[in-house]
Amino acid sequence: MNLINHLSIKSKLIIMLLIVSTSCVLVVSYLGYRSGKINLTNRVFNQLTSIRASKAYQIKSYLQNIRNHTETLSEDPAIITAIQEFTQGYNELQTSSISPKMDLKINEYYQEEFLTRLSKMEEGTPILESYTPKGIPSRYLQYHYIAGNPYEVGKKQLLNNANDGSEYSKVHSRYHRIFRNIIEKFGYYDMFLIDPQGTIVYTVFKETDFTSNLQQGAYKNSNLGKLNSIVQNSKEKDYSEIIDFEPYEPSYNAPAIFIAAPIYDRSQFLGVLAFQLPVNEINNVMTGNRQWKQDGLGESGETYLVGRDFLMRSVSRFLIEDPVAYKNILKSLGTQDSTINRIEKYNTSILEQTVRTIGVEKALSGKEGTEIIRDYRDIPVLSSYAPLDLKGLDWVILSEIDLAEAYAPIYSFKNQIIISGTVLMVIVTLIAMGLAYLFVKPINLLIANARKIAQGELDEIISITTKDEFAELAISFNDMVRSLRTQTNLVQEKNQENEQLLLSIFPASIAKRLKRGEKNIAEDVSNVAVLFSDLTGFSKLSESLTAYEIVSILNDLVSSFDEAAERYSMDKIKTIGDSYLAVCGLSIPYLDHDKRAIDFALEMIAIVKRFNHQRNFELNISVGINSGDVVAGIVGRNKFIYDVWGDTINFASTLRSACPPGFILVSSEVKRRLQDIYEFEPLTEDFNNGKTKLNAWQLKNPL
């Protein structure tokens, strides 16, 4: 206390200021760091949950579409007739003769091709007699369509007719091209027709399961064999069943998943239609076609599936991006060498990577939530988990991102707080010394701050506790500062509002020119892509809706189009009723402007289709795309708009008018530039309506 009493007023003032400022800095810094960490955690969890829900919807929709397609095909008259004819053709081969040469050829194929590759993928030595076909029809068909097939392994499906004169081959030549097109266009791995006795009388790819019997043959214990038994025993119509991944020997023990439906001719059970689903399609859904960053998962985030056995049902991101690093992580965790070898051989973590984490356990117990846990790499992650409601599949879904990446902003903020706090303490010390000095020389303070005001610094407020003339002057000075600050803030707010208004109406480059005072703005722009679209069916829809409902629906569609336009760097020019005009390359030149326009058009068609599906509408869209030069500028004086015109715009409008609903018409220039990327076909006479033929091309199979 005596020491304090002996300090000068200047020293006391400095000490008080330092104590107060230091306390404030510490408290504010702690509260800011804690609040920032909580808010960041919640934001990341919300983002992960959103991604997880989106992926769950996509995988459900994908599998439901496959289920619907399988059930529909099982009732198709062509499938019904095909299984009858294939079964009859197979049975007629019971009396065929099998030469020793044919059996030798079959054995050579199994020994030199199938069993050799199978033994490389798995430990142990497969026994030849356990896999070779036993029945006469099976040996006959495996010789002609597998062992004696002139096409190499992996292309056996290209043989349409063995030309052996059998009734089976005649049936095969009639249906094989059709069924091969089905699996190619719908993305299936293989298609199977199975008779009531469990014999696979037809497959597309002609692997070793072709003609095998799923009730007593080599593959009776496979998941396809189990699925066939379930479907045959169900005795149900309008029914399909899916079975989980298991290693499948005909595919060299790679993970395989199947779906099947019974085939009936009225009340007569004819057999089973089955499909082997493509693993890559499930992986593409879960990885977003390997676009993790675009999905918002950064450098370390991923979404994946896990089954009841705690094994992955989709591929790990880290195996895809860096197999060597992934292998090293597995070794460091003590994973068995045999497991690591299988992952390397099959290049997949499906049915190999164990994921026994807290999130998986809770999801398998039916819980949904978010948590900070350690993942299958034993690395801390933010995890969002939930069970998947999939008939026939007991799976869960997780979206995760490394804690280090998720918290990188808050760690950076923490370092900034430490640095800023240190700098601030130095500044506060200097300010305290300066204020103490100025306390005894108020006139100098007023002069110094008056100069700062003249320079535009309006943050300085004078605090004088005395009641003399300097106090009155300080009060007047502070009132002036506050008035200037208020007026300055108002001016800044108005300027910001005006700037935002300009940016919402015009491209950024045009808005800058308007701010500089330019009035007559017009420019020639070369090498742009123009997209013109029309919604069809909207006028008919509007007849049954109120004006409010019509505007609301159109607004939802246009908003979706606008969001897509931003993603593809398309400048929206205007909408006229249900027409939409956008240009790529107007504000910023792009070398791939025409490709961006087509990708945007495909997205618009997908949006309309999704909109129809969600709201049960029958809308469609016609799109015309042209490439070339345009004139752009401001039109009007009191009420002005930004517009584009020229032959390029006119021809795009003509293409839109000629385009059939649900398709995309492009000019010859666009077709020439993109014909190596997309497939185009000439516009037919039907769509030219007998008028002068348009020099236009139609994008083949837009969606």
Side-chain angles (χ1 to χ4, degrees):
M1 183 65 68
N2 291 332
L3 179 61
I4 295 176
N5 291 334
H6 286 84
L7 292 175
S8 65
I9 295 177
K10 180 180 179 181
S11 300
K12 292 178 181 178
L13 181 60
I14 294 174
I15 292 173
M16 286 188 293
L17 289 174
L18 287 175
I19 292 174
V20 173
S21 60
T22 301
S23 300
C24 291
V25 169
L26 292 176
V27 172
V28 171
S29 298
Y30 172 74
L31 293 178
Y33 175 77
R34 184 171 178 273
S35 175
K37 185 176 182 180
I38 292 173
N39 290 335
L40 180 62
T41 301
N42 292 336
R43 182 178 66 81
V44 174
F45 274 142
N46 290 337
Q47 182 175 353
L48 289 174
T49 300
S50 176
I51 294 172
R52 186 206 72 207
S54 174
K55 296 298 182 183
Y57 174 79
Q58 292 178 44
I59 198 69
K60 288 179 183 178
S61 298
Y62 171 69
L63 293 177
Q64 184 60 46
N65 288 338
I66 289 178
R67 187 182 294 274
N68 294 339
H69 187 235
T70 303
E71 292 177 7
T72 302
L73 283 180
S74 69
E75 299 172 354
D76 191 288
I79 296 292
I80 295 173
T81 304
I83 194 170
Q84 290 174 324
E85 293 181 0
F86 275 117
T87 301
Q88 181 179 352
Y90 178 87
N91 292 330
E92 288 178 1
L93 294 174
Q94 294 286 355
T95 59
S96 299
S97 60
I98 307 297
S99 67
K101 178 183 177 182
M102 296 169 67
D103 280 333
L104 179 61
K105 189 72 174 179
I106 293 173
N107 289 339
E108 287 178 354
Y109 175 82
Y110 273 82
Q111 288 177 329
E112 297 175 5
E113 172 58 37
F114 177 68
L115 296 182
T116 300
R117 290 184 61 182
L118 184 63
S119 63
K120 290 180 180 178
M121 305 305 290
E122 294 293 333
E123 297 179 358
T125 303
I127 301 174
L128 175 64
E129 289 74 15
S130 301
Y131 295 93
T132 52
K134 302 299 187 293
I136 292 176
S138 296
R139 290 154 58 201
Y140 182 92
L141 291 175
Q142 283 216 6
Y143 168 76
H144 284 287
Y145 285 93
I146 297 181
N149 190 325
Y151 292 99
E152 61 182 333
V153 176
K155 296 183 179 180
K156 300 290 186 182
Q157 75 277 11
L158 298 178
L159 180 63
N160 294 319
N161 192 336
N163 294 318
D164 59 332
S166 67
E167 184 63 28
Y168 183 94
S169 291
K170 295 178 182 178
V171 174
H172 190 278
S173 65
R174 286 201 304 272
Y175 291 102
H176 186 63
R177 287 187 181 88
I178 299 173
F179 295 159
R180 187 173 62 207
N181 286 336
I182 289 177
I183 69 167
E184 289 175 353
K185 292 183 178 180
F186 289 91
Y188 298 119
Y189 180 84
D190 204 353
M191 171 182 170
F192 307 83
L193 293 178
I194 308 169
D195 71 9
Q197 287 71 44
T199 300
I200 302 176
V201 295
Y202 173 80
T203 72
V204 173
F205 260 89
K206 301 300 184 292
E207 292 182 334
T208 56
D209 50 10
F210 174 54
T211 73
S212 65
N213 189 282
L214 296 177
Q215 295 180 0
Q216 57 189 9
Y219 310 119
K220 64 179 180 181
N221 294 323
S222 67
N223 54 344
L224 178 59
K226 298 172 186 175
L227 179 61
N228 177 67
S229 178
I230 293 171
V231 173
Q232 290 206 17
N233 293 332
S234 68
K235 308 298 181 183
E236 294 183 40
K237 294 184 178 180
D238 301 324
Y239 158 82
S240 63
E241 188 69 38
I242 192 169
I243 195 165
D244 203 350
F245 281 104
E246 286 185 18
Y248 190 58
E249 284 186 318
S251 298
Y252 304 103
N253 271 336
I257 181 173
F258 296 90
I259 188 170
I263 304 173
Y264 281 89
D265 184 8
R266 296 183 178 87
S267 61
Q268 181 184 2
F269 175 69
L270 301 178
V272 174
L273 168 67
F275 289 103
Q276 185 174 346
L277 305 186
V279 178
N280 287 338
E281 289 298 325
I282 295 176
N283 288 334
N284 288 339
V285 171
M286 301 312 298
T287 64
N289 291 317
R290 303 189 180 187
Q291 301 294 317
W292 296 278
K293 291 182 181 179
Q294 287 81 346
D295 282 350
L297 290 171
E299 299 289 344
S300 62
E302 63 173 336
T303 303
Y304 58 91
L305 302 170
V306 181
R308 174 62 62 177
D309 54 4
F310 294 95
L311 296 177
M312 274 192 169
R313 293 303 191 269
S314 62
V315 71
S316 168
R317 171 182 184 174
F318 307 102
L319 173 60
I320 295 174
E321 291 190 327
D322 194 344
V324 176
Y326 179 75
K327 176 182 177 181
N328 293 334
I329 290 175
L330 295 184
K331 286 184 176 180
S332 66
L333 295 175
T335 305
Q336 295 181 356
D337 291 338
S338 58
T339 300
I340 297 175
N341 290 336
R342 284 195 299 272
I343 291 175
E344 285 184 318
K345 290 176 181 178
Y346 294 116
N347 194 29
T348 184
S349 56
I350 297 176
L351 296 184
E352 300 297 340
Q353 176 67 63
T354 301
V355 190
R356 191 177 289 274
T357 63
I358 295 174
V360 172
E361 291 176 349
K362 289 186 177 181
L364 286 173
S365 65
K367 296 178 181 179
E368 176 180 349
T370 56
E371 231 176 298
I372 297 177
I373 63 173
R374 302 189 78 85
D375 70 353
Y376 59 89
R377 300 168 298 147
D378 198 31
I379 292 176
V381 296
L382 278 75
S383 177
S384 177
Y385 54 83
L388 268 179
D389 183 17
L390 296 173
K391 181 182 178 182
L393 298 174
D394 192 3
W395 291 356
V396 298
I397 184 171
L398 298 93
S399 286
E400 297 175 342
I401 190 171
D402 286 3
L403 187 67
E405 181 181 3
Y407 279 3
I410 200 66
Y411 293 152
S412 175
F413 178 59
K414 178 181 177 181
N415 294 332
Q416 291 178 4
I417 288 178
I418 294 173
I419 296 172
S420 300
T422 303
V423 173
L424 186 60
M425 292 306 302
V426 174
I427 295 174
V428 168
T429 302
L430 297 175
I431 292 176
M433 295 174 65
L435 289 176
Y437 175 77
L438 293 174
F439 180 75
V440 297
K441 293 186 177 181
I443 189 63
N444 293 331
L445 175 63
L446 291 173
I447 295 173
N449 283 277
R451 291 173 178 170
K452 291 181 179 179
I453 294 299
Q455 296 173 358
E457 299 181 18
L458 304 178
D459 296 331
E460 296 295 332
I461 299 296
I462 306 304
S463 177
I464 296 179
T465 58
T466 60
K467 296 182 180 180
D468 54 13
E469 292 80 5
F470 291 115
E472 295 178 1
L473 183 58
I475 292 172
S476 300
F477 186 88
N478 290 338
D479 290 340
M480 180 187 67
V481 171
R482 293 188 183 94
S483 177
L484 287 173
R485 184 189 303 163
T486 301
Q487 294 178 17
T488 302
N489 289 339
L490 288 174
V491 171
Q492 290 177 348
E493 290 176 0
K494 290 298 181 181
N495 287 337
Q496 290 177 355
E497 290 175 1
N498 292 336
E499 184 175 353
Q500 289 298 324
L501 180 60
L502 285 175
L503 289 175
S504 66
I505 299 175
F506 306 109
S509 60
I510 301 300
K512 290 180 180 179
R513 295 175 64 180
L514 285 172
K515 287 175 62 180
R516 290 198 298 263
E518 295 186 41
K519 295 183 178 179
N520 297 322
I521 298 177
E523 57 185 355
D524 294 317
V525 185
S526 301
N527 296 323
V528 299
V530 178
L531 179 145
F532 228 129
S533 70
D534 255 342
L535 279 174
T536 60
F538 193 83
S539 298
K540 182 179 179 181
L541 177 64
S542 62
E543 295 175 0
S544 60
L545 300 175
T546 65
Y548 176 81
E549 291 172 331
I550 295 169
V551 173
S552 177
I553 292 169
L554 186 59
N555 197 34
D556 290 344
L557 269 174
V558 172
S559 296
S560 298
F561 292 165
D562 290 345
E563 293 173 359
E566 290 182 9
R567 291 197 300 272
Y568 293 103
S569 302
M570 300 288 296
D571 291 321
K572 174 187 173 183
I573 303 302
K574 60 184 176 181
T575 58
I576 305 173
D578 50 8
S579 297
Y580 191 97
L581 174 60
V583 180
C584 182
L586 192 60
S587 299
I588 301 174
Y590 290 99
L591 293 176
D592 61 339
H593 54 81
D594 38 15
K595 181 180 184 301
R596 289 172 180 264
I598 288 185
D599 290 343
F600 174 50
L602 292 172
E603 181 73 10
M604 294 177 78
I605 294 175
I607 289 170
V608 173
K609 287 188 176 181
R610 186 164 60 249
F611 200 85
N612 289 338
H613 177 73
Q614 293 172 350
R615 306 200 184 188
N616 198 25
F617 290 160
E618 294 182 358
L619 300 176
N620 215 327
I621 189 168
S622 302
V623 183
I625 298 175
N626 190 17
S627 169
D629 303 335
V630 299
V631 178
I634 301 294
V635 180
R637 293 191 179 275
N638 296 328
K639 295 182 179 180
F640 47 84
I641 62 171
Y642 183 73
D643 205 351
V644 292
W645 58 91
D647 292 339
T648 302
I649 303 295
N650 296 336
F651 192 65
S653 177
T654 302
L655 290 175
R656 173 209 48 186
S657 301
C659 181
F663 287 86
I664 300 169
L665 282 189
V666 303
S667 64
S668 296
E669 178 63 16
V670 175
K671 183 258 183 184
R672 182 185 64 81
R673 289 163 59 91
L674 298 180
Q675 60 185 354
D676 293 333
I677 301 177
Y678 303 96
E679 291 187 36
F680 298 94
E681 55 189 6
L683 183 64
T684 64
E685 289 295 334
D686 292 338
F687 295 123
N688 279 298
N689 296 322
K691 301 178 181 179
T692 302
K693 186 174 181 181
L694 284 175
N695 191 12
W697 296 81
Q698 178 176 299
L699 182 65
K700 189 175 182 181
N701 300 326
L703 276 181

